[in-house]
Amino acid sequence: MEIHVELKTKSKMFCQCSANYFGKEPNSNTCPVCLGMPGALPVPNKQAVEWTVKIGKALNCSINKRTKFDRKHYYYPDLPKGYQISQYDEPIAVKGHLDITFKGKDNSLTEKRFNITRVHLEEDTGKLTHAGEDTLVDFNRSSVPLVEIVTEPDFENADDVKVFLEELHTIIRTLDVSDADMEKGSMRMEPNISLSLYENKEERMKNLPKYKVEVKNINSFNFAKKAIEYELKRQAEILDKGETPTQETRGYNEDKGITYSQRSKEEAQDYRYFPEPDIPPMEFTDDFIEKVEKTIPELPASKVKSYLNDYQLKYDDAFILTRDSSLSTYYEKLIAVLSKEKQLDLKKQNLEQALANVIVNKRIQTNISEKEFAEKFIKMFARVEVDESQLETSLEKAIQENPKAVSDYKSGKTNAVMALVGTVMREMRGQADAMDVRKRLEEKINKI
Amino acid sequence: MDIFGKSLTELRDLIKSNKISSKELFSYFAKRAEKYNSDLNAYLTMIDFTDHSEGDLSGIPIAIKDNFCTQGVRTTASAKVLDSFIPPYESTVTRRLKEAGVLFTGKTNMDAWAHGSSTETSDYGPTKNPWDTTRAPGGSSGGSAAVVSSFLAPAAIGSETAGSIRQPASWCGIVGLKPTYGRVSRYGVIAMGSSFDCPGPMTQTVEDAAMILQVIAGKDPYDATSATEEVPDYRKQMTEKRTLTFGVPDEYMKGLDRDVEKKVEESLKVLEKLGHKVKRVSLLDPKYSISVYTILQRAEVSSNLARYDGIRYGNGRDAFGSEAKRRMMLGTYTLSHGYYDAFYKKAQKIKTLIIEDLKRVFDDVDLIVAAPTPMTALKLGEFEKYPFFGETMDVLNEAAAVAGTPAISIPCGLDSKGLPVGLQFMGNYFDEGTILNAAYQFEKETNFFDVLAEGRKKYE
C-alpha cells in the first residue's frame, strides 16, 4: 500500500502560503515559491518535519538521524518546477510496523502485523480540471506538505487492507497532524496489487510476482476493498490462462465497481532523483526525536487494551470508543466525573461498562457537554430512595386487597405477582425498585 | 562636476555632501548608456529613475545582471524563453540594495542562463569588450563587467557559478569578488548550478566591493542554504595592517599564456615587496575540479531548467539556445538510472577531496594566489573552437567554485596586446575579509597599474 496524507500545518511545505487550500478561488493561494517561479527557493516547514517524525514513531519506525530532500523529475502541468521535492534514499522514517487486532467470527481475538517500509515527506502538486477542450490548472494545493507511507506486501486479502487503512486513519487523526479526510483528498491510498501463490512471507518476498498493478482514485475504505477484490479476480483470471497481467496504473470507477487501465508502466519511469541542492541535509538529535515522541498521545490500539484490562469493557465497546480520540477523551472525562457520584445504581455493571453501553447504544447523545451528559446519566441511574415503612404498608395493603392474585400465584401462576408489583409501584410513585418489590411480595405470599 | 571615473565611495560622498543629487547622478549614467550601449550591448533593459530609500548607499546607481529578479522590471537571464517575464517579486540581493538606497541603472547582458564564459550565448547578441569591441568581455557576467569597465555604471552586481564574476572582471580589467557560497542569498537569482551560484560585486575599487558585500551579505530566511555566520565589518577588515602568507600552487601556473604568467610573477614580487610571505604550495590538479564541476553543474542545470516547460512564460522549450540544450542533455544523461552512481555520486566524492585539499593548504597559508584565467580576452567567435569553452577559461576558478570558497580577481597590468590581465586571491571559507585586505594593499601599492583609467579612456 502507498498512502498519502496531507498535513494540516499552518503554512505550506516550502513557503508561507496557507496549507489550507480547500474551497479557495483557484490560484489565489500561491506565491513565487509554490508556483516554481525563476529564482524562488524552498525553505522546509519545521512543523511538517516534526510531524513526519511523529507519524514515523507512531508507526514504530526507526528515524533516520540524517535525512535529506531529493528532486523527483517528471513533466506534468500540475508540477510547476518540473520536479517534485520528495525524499528518495534517506527518508525520515523506515522499518516500522503496525499490529492490528482482528476479531474472529467466534469472538476470538488475533493479532496481525503489517510492516511499514518507509515514511517520507514531500510536497503535493497542483490540480488539473478538464473543461471541454481546455485543461485548467490550479496551484492552490501546490507544495502542501504530503506524507507518504509505504507498506510491505503483507496483505493477504482485501479485508486486511480495509482494517489496516481504518486503523491507520484513526492513528493519523489521533496524532492530530491531518484531517485525513478522504472526500477532500487529504488522505489518499494506492494499493499495488499482484498475486502470489506463496503463503510464507519469506518465500513470497524471494519470489515476488513479475508485475504490479497500481490502482488510483480511491476515496473510501470500502472502495479500496472493492477495487482490490475486483483486481484479485481480474488478475486471477489472467493468471489462470497462463498469462501475466500487464504492469500498469489503473483507475477505480466507483459507480461500476471496476478498475480500468490508465497508463502502462511497462517501462519504468526514470525520475532522475538527486539531492535537492536548495535544502541542506537535516540532522536530528536523539533529544529532538525524544521530544517529538513525547507529543504522541496514547494510540487507539493501546487504548483498547487498557479499556479491556482496566475497565473490563467488552471488546466491541472498547473498539468503538477508541476510534475517535475526542470520543475516548469524552468518555474518560465522564468516568472521572461520575466515579465521584455515590448515588448511582448500576446494578451489576461497573461504571465504565455502564457508561460505555449508554454511549455506544446512543442512549444519551455525546454532542452535549460532559456536565450535561453526566446529569442525564445520573438521572438514568439514580439510586431510588425508598421509604421503608411506607413500602411495608404498601406491600401488606396490596396482598390484602388482591386475594385473587395471591391465590393465582399460589396455585402456580407466578406471573400473577406482577399485578401486585404494579400496584405497589403505583402506590410508591415509582420510588422503589421493582425487582426488590417482586422479591419481597413473593416472600410474603409464600409465608401465607 | 566631473564624475567620470569616480568610484562608488567617492560618489557616495558627493551625494552625502549634497554636491550632486541622486537624480543628476542617475541621468549622468543613463545618458552614457544611451551613447555607448548600442556599441557594447552591455545593457538589455534600462530602468527609469525612481525614488529611493535612505541608507548606506543612498542614491548610488548600480547595474544588475539580468538573472536577478527585479520586481516590475523585465528579467530574462538573456534567454528568449523568458523574453517577456516581469517578476512580481524582488531577489534578496536587489531588495537589500534597494533598502540601502541603491538605484538600478539597468539589467545587464549575460550568457543565456549564465551558460558560458564570453556572453556570446546570450539570446540578445554578445556584449563587446570595452577594451576592444572585436573581443568578448568574458562571462557569464560580461554585461556587468563591461558597464563597469566603460563607466556606464560605477559598479555592478554579477553572479558566479564557476568564474562568471572573476573571469569577465579579469578580461575587462575591473575588480570582481565571488563570496563564499551561502554568504549572499540566492533567493530570486535565476538558478544555474544551485549548489555553486554566488552573487557578488563587480567594481572599480576594492573598497567598493567591500561596501556592496556589506549590504548584500547575511542570512536570508528565504534561502535555506544561506549561512548564519555573522557578517563582519568588511571595510574595517580591509584596512587592518596585516602581513600575510600567500601560497602559489604550482599546478595553477601551468598552461598560462606567457603574458599572463609574467604579470602574475610580477605581482608576486609586489606582494613580497609589501612584506608578505610568498611560498609555493601544491593543490590537486585543476582538471579534477573541471570534471567534478561539469558533472554536478550540468545535472543541476537539467533540473533547474525543467520548469520552463512552455506552459508559462510565453515561450516553449524550442526557444532554448543550443548551449542550454547541450547542458540539459548532458545533465539528464548523468542523472539517468544506471549512470547516477558513475557520475553524480562519484563527482560528489571528489568534491569532498577538493574541499579537503583546499583546507589543507589553508592550514599553511592565508591566501592562495593565481591567475583567474589562463589568457586575456579572446576575439568574439573564438569560443566555438572549444567544446567546453567555459570550463577551459575557468580552469583556475573551479576549485573555489566546487568548494564554495571565496575569491577575488583584480587587475595586475596589461599584456602585450594592451589587454588587462587579472590576479586572483582565493581565501578560506567566510574569509572575505582577508581577501579584501590583500587586494586593498595591492591596490594601494599599484593603483592596479592604472588599468581602470586606461580601460574607460575611450568612453570619456
Side-chain angles (χ1 to χ4, degrees):
Chain A
M1 288 296 301
E2 282 173 43
I3 301 104
H4 285 94
V5 177
E6 268 180 1
L7 298 180
K8 57 172 185 184
T9 47
K10 225 171 139 210
S11 54
K12 287 186 179 179
M13 187 58 227
F14 298 114
C15 62
Q16 285 162 43
C17 292
S18 170
N20 180 12
Y21 60 88
F22 200 74
K24 289 189 178 159
E25 190 188 332
N27 297 309
S28 63
N29 185 42
T30 56
C31 76
V33 177
C34 57
L35 289 174
M37 293 186 82
L41 297 173
V43 178
N45 182 327
K46 201 175 160 213
Q47 177 82 86
V49 173
E50 280 183 24
W51 282 358
T52 310
V53 172
K54 194 172 170 181
I55 293 172
K57 272 296 185 189
L59 299 178
N60 305 296
C61 291
S62 53
I63 304 298
N64 273 328
K65 283 197 190 160
R66 188 192 184 278
T67 176
K68 64 176 168 71
F69 286 102
D70 298 278
R71 292 184 181 181
K72 177 184 180 179
H73 299 83
Y74 63 95
Y75 285 105
Y76 210 64
D78 64 7
L79 190 66
K81 296 188 292 294
Y83 56 83
Q84 178 190 32
I85 304 177
S86 180
Q87 295 194 286
Y88 181 50
D89 53 351
E90 292 174 13
I92 288 179
V94 291
K95 288 192 184 126
H97 61 262
L98 197 51
D99 292 331
I100 298 180
T101 304
F102 284 79
K103 195 179 154 194
K105 284 192 183 109
D106 57 348
N107 279 335
S108 65
L109 301 179
T110 51
E111 207 168 59
K112 254 190 195 176
R113 172 164 291 194
F114 300 99
N115 290 288
I116 308 290
T117 313
R118 57 187 281 154
V119 178
H120 78 243
L121 182 55
E122 58 188 28
E123 56 178 339
D124 212 340
T125 61
K127 227 174 189 173
L128 297 182
T129 310
H130 301 282
E133 292 211 332
D134 297 325
T135 297
L136 305 170
V137 58
D138 174 11
F139 290 110
N140 281 352
R141 192 180 71 177
S142 175
S143 202
V144 165
L146 197 60
V147 168
E148 180 173 318
I149 300 161
V150 183
T151 75
E152 297 279 297
D154 286 350
F155 303 94
E156 286 168 357
N157 53 58
D159 280 317
D160 272 9
V161 174
K162 184 165 180 267
V163 172
F164 171 85
L165 288 173
E166 283 168 347
E167 186 73 18
L168 182 66
H169 181 252
T170 308
I171 290 173
I172 299 289
R173 301 260 312 166
T174 304
L175 295 176
D176 200 23
V177 295
S178 169
D179 292 332
D181 185 331
M182 271 152 307
E183 288 285 309
K184 288 183 181 172
S186 53
M187 179 165 170
R188 311 194 274 269
M189 50 235 156
E190 283 118 40
N192 287 265
I193 306 146
S194 51
L195 280 175
S196 171
L197 287 172
Y198 295 93
E199 278 193 41
N200 174 288
K201 187 181 173 193
E202 217 172 296
E203 286 297 307
R204 187 162 73 226
M205 294 304 283
K206 266 190 236 155
N207 301 284
L208 285 176
K210 288 184 181 64
Y211 74 97
K212 191 171 76 169
V213 173
E214 183 176 357
V215 183
K216 286 191 185 280
N217 314 342
I218 296 174
N219 63 4
S220 87
F221 301 134
N222 272 327
F223 291 152
K225 184 172 174 238
K226 283 184 187 157
I228 292 167
E229 276 164 354
Y230 179 85
E231 268 305 300
L232 294 181
K233 199 164 150 261
R234 189 185 70 85
Q235 292 178 20
E237 277 166 13
I238 297 170
L239 289 163
D240 285 344
K241 275 190 263 174
E243 294 162 15
T244 306
T246 314
Q247 169 124 339
E248 62 184 344
T249 300
R250 297 174 74 86
Y252 179 67
N253 182 321
E254 52 198 57
D255 297 328
K256 295 184 188 155
I258 61 165
T259 67
Y260 58 92
S261 182
Q262 280 187 325
R263 71 187 143 97
S264 166
K265 258 195 177 175
E266 264 183 76
E267 274 179 54
Q269 203 166 354
D270 189 346
Y271 291 120
R272 291 178 282 118
Y273 281 104
F274 82 101
E276 168 56 276
D278 290 331
I279 305 171
M282 297 176 281
E283 308 261 355
F284 300 142
T285 59
D286 289 327
D287 197 43
F288 167 80
I289 297 170
E290 236 171 80
K291 257 188 207 154
V292 173
E293 201 175 357
K294 280 193 185 133
T295 65
I296 300 176
E298 188 182 15
L299 295 176
S302 152
K303 223 167 234 285
V304 168
K305 279 189 187 140
S306 52
Y307 284 5
L308 294 181
N309 291 331
D310 304 347
Y311 301 161
Q312 284 83 47
L313 290 196
K314 285 183 274 183
Y315 178 80
D316 288 346
D317 291 344
F319 184 82
I320 292 167
L321 287 173
T322 52
R323 291 310 93 188
D324 179 344
S325 60
S326 64
L327 182 61
S328 57
T329 309
Y330 189 81
Y331 170 66
E332 285 166 26
K333 277 188 189 159
L334 281 171
I335 292 175
V337 171
L338 290 166
S339 58
K340 287 178 215 132
E341 190 57 53
K342 296 280 182 287
Q343 297 305 315
L344 290 177
D345 182 9
L346 300 167
K347 311 291 173 307
K348 281 170 191 158
Q349 305 178 90
N350 63 14
L351 168 65
E352 291 84 353
Q353 182 62 59
L355 193 52
N357 281 343
V358 170
I359 294 174
V360 170
N361 297 326
K362 298 193 165 65
R363 287 177 61 200
I364 303 174
Q365 296 296 324
T366 52
N367 57 359
I368 53 177
S369 73
E370 286 117 27
K371 194 167 163 262
E372 288 171 287
F373 188 105
E375 279 165 9
K376 288 193 178 191
F377 186 84
I378 291 166
K379 213 169 172 190
M380 192 177 273
F381 291 95
R383 184 184 300 283
V384 178
E385 287 299 328
V386 184
D387 184 328
E388 251 324 296
S389 65
Q390 195 194 343
L391 178 59
E392 191 57 35
T393 319
S394 178
L395 290 170
E396 291 295 339
K397 196 175 156 209
I399 291 171
Q400 281 174 16
E401 288 177 4
N402 295 283
K404 174 134 184 358
V406 173
S407 62
D408 282 355
Y409 178 82
K410 288 207 138 201
S411 65
K413 290 181 185 162
T414 51
N415 260 338
V417 78
M418 291 316 288
L420 299 181
V421 173
T423 311
V424 174
M425 290 306 285
R426 262 195 306 280
E427 182 94 359
M428 294 296 292
R429 294 174 185 276
Q431 292 302 302
D433 181 60
M435 295 293 284
D436 186 47
V437 168
R438 178 178 181 162
K439 203 173 126 213
R440 287 166 70 167
L441 280 169
E442 285 174 339
E443 276 170 16
K444 281 187 187 292
I445 296 169
N446 286 335
K447 277 188 205 151
I448 295 171
Chain B
M1 181 180 303
D2 189 15
I3 290 168
F4 189 69
K6 291 252 185 297
S7 72
L8 207 75
T9 319
E10 289 164 334
L11 293 173
R12 179 171 168 258
D13 293 342
L14 290 177
I15 284 189
K16 285 234 156 113
S17 56
N18 290 319
K19 296 208 170 85
I20 188 166
S21 74
S22 56
K23 191 162 189 178
E24 285 169 309
L25 189 60
F26 192 91
S27 67
Y28 171 85
F29 285 105
K31 275 183 198 138
R32 288 184 59 75
E34 213 171 294
K35 189 167 171 194
Y36 295 112
N37 193 50
S38 53
D39 284 347
L40 296 174
N41 195 32
Y43 280 117
L44 292 180
T45 306
M46 298 311 297
I47 300 174
D48 290 334
F49 178 81
T50 55
D51 290 336
H52 60 83
S53 330
E54 289 304 320
D56 273 355
L57 299 174
S58 287
I60 296 291
I62 289 182
I64 307 292
K65 188 178 179 180
D66 203 34
N67 59 346
F68 287 80
C69 286
T70 37
Q71 193 168 359
V73 175
R74 185 174 84 129
T75 300
T76 67
S78 288
K80 276 272 155 71
V81 172
L82 291 178
D83 191 46
S84 55
F85 177 56
I86 298 173
Y89 51 99
E90 192 77 52
S91 80
T92 296
V93 166
T94 49
R95 182 177 55 74
R96 285 183 174 165
L97 288 169
K98 274 186 173 174
E99 283 165 7
V102 168
L103 288 162
F104 304 147
T105 54
K107 305 294 291 289
T108 60
N109 199 7
M110 55 188 280
D111 283 291
W113 307 108
H115 297 168
S117 299
S118 66
T119 318
E120 288 170 282
T121 69
S122 167
D123 289 345
Y124 300 95
T127 294
K128 317 279 173 51
N129 190 320
W131 287 76
D132 174 352
T133 52
T134 67
R135 291 179 187 274
S140 65
S141 311
S144 286
V147 297
V148 176
S149 165
S150 58
F151 204 62
L152 303 191
I157 295 296
S159 71
E160 167 156 341
T161 308
S164 276
I165 286 176
R166 288 171 284 167
Q167 186 256 9
S170 162
W171 280 19
C172 289
I174 62 163
V175 175
L177 174 67
K178 171 220 179 287
T180 308
Y181 178 77
R183 177 74 297 175
V184 179
S185 168
R186 293 183 294 117
Y187 184 82
V189 184
I190 297 177
M192 202 264 259
S194 309
S195 47
F196 309 102
D197 293 348
C198 286
M202 302 181 78
T203 57
Q204 304 172 81
T205 71
V206 176
E207 187 175 10
D208 289 359
M211 205 147 62
I212 291 177
L213 181 61
Q214 197 74 51
V215 171
I216 62 176
K219 176 72 188 167
D220 177 13
Y222 296 101
D223 177 0
T225 62
S226 67
T228 47
E229 267 82 357
E230 210 177 308
V231 180
D233 182 337
Y234 290 118
R235 266 182 300 171
K236 193 168 155 240
Q237 290 192 341
M238 177 186 82
T239 48
E240 276 165 12
K241 247 190 122 56
R242 287 182 71 182
T243 306
L244 301 165
T245 305
F246 289 86
V248 185
D250 292 329
E251 297 79 2
Y252 282 63
M253 295 301 281
K254 286 179 205 154
L256 299 183
D257 191 282
R258 269 180 64 188
D259 283 354
V260 173
E261 191 182 341
K262 203 173 131 223
K263 287 293 153 193
V264 174
E265 294 288 359
E266 283 172 22
S267 301
L268 296 178
K269 296 220 173 68
V270 172
L271 294 175
E272 279 172 337
K273 192 185 145 211
L274 286 166
H276 302 300
K277 201 172 156 195
V278 178
K279 62 192 245 185
R280 295 276 158 173
V281 292
S282 180
L283 273 177
L284 278 178
D285 191 311
K287 74 179 182 192
Y288 296 112
S289 300
I290 297 185
S291 304
V292 167
Y293 171 75
T294 306
I295 297 293
L296 298 181
Q297 183 252 81
R298 299 297 194 272
E300 292 179 0
V301 163
S302 72
S303 172
N304 286 334
L305 295 183
R307 68 189 61 191
Y308 308 107
D309 55 6
I311 292 176
R312 295 180 290 166
Y313 313 113
N315 283 314
R317 289 178 81 74
D318 53 341
F320 275 112
S322 52
E323 180 63 20
K325 284 179 188 164
R326 268 198 294 274
R327 292 190 185 209
M328 282 188 271
M329 281 189 280
L330 184 57
T332 302
Y333 179 79
T334 59
L335 287 178
S336 296
H337 188 70
Y339 296 97
Y340 179 80
D341 286 352
F343 293 112
Y344 191 89
K345 264 210 162 140
K346 199 168 175 188
Q348 284 291 5
K349 281 182 191 155
I350 299 166
K351 176 176 171 173
T352 310
L353 295 178
I354 292 166
I355 292 171
E356 282 166 7
D357 187 45
L358 277 171
K359 279 187 176 164
R360 175 183 59 78
V361 174
F362 284 125
D363 283 343
D364 252 10
V365 301
D366 297 303
L367 295 171
I368 294 168
V369 56
T373 171
M375 53 195 90
T376 54
L378 290 178
K379 291 267 187 194
L380 287 164
E382 270 191 282
F383 86 104
E384 279 171 0
K385 294 183 203 155
Y386 304 83
F388 284 94
F389 173 75
E391 285 63 32
T392 313
M393 287 309 110
D394 291 329
V395 56
L396 305 173
N397 291 321
E398 280 169 7
V402 168
T405 47
I408 200 167
S409 173
I410 52 175
C412 69
L414 300 179
D415 72 356
S416 52
K417 297 188 278 275
L419 296 169
V421 181
L423 179 72
Q424 173 173 213
F425 296 146
M426 291 179 248
N428 208 341
Y429 290 98
F430 299 101
D431 200 10
E432 286 82 0
T434 301
I435 292 174
L436 291 164
N437 185 288
Y440 187 68
Q441 289 193 39
F442 190 87
E443 182 185 12
K444 286 281 140 217
E445 177 66 21
T446 63
N447 192 34
F448 296 142
F449 306 96
D450 300 325
V451 166
L452 284 122
E454 182 67 24
R456 64 179 172 254
K457 209 166 64 185
K458 282 196 284 175
Y459 301 91
E460 185 143 12

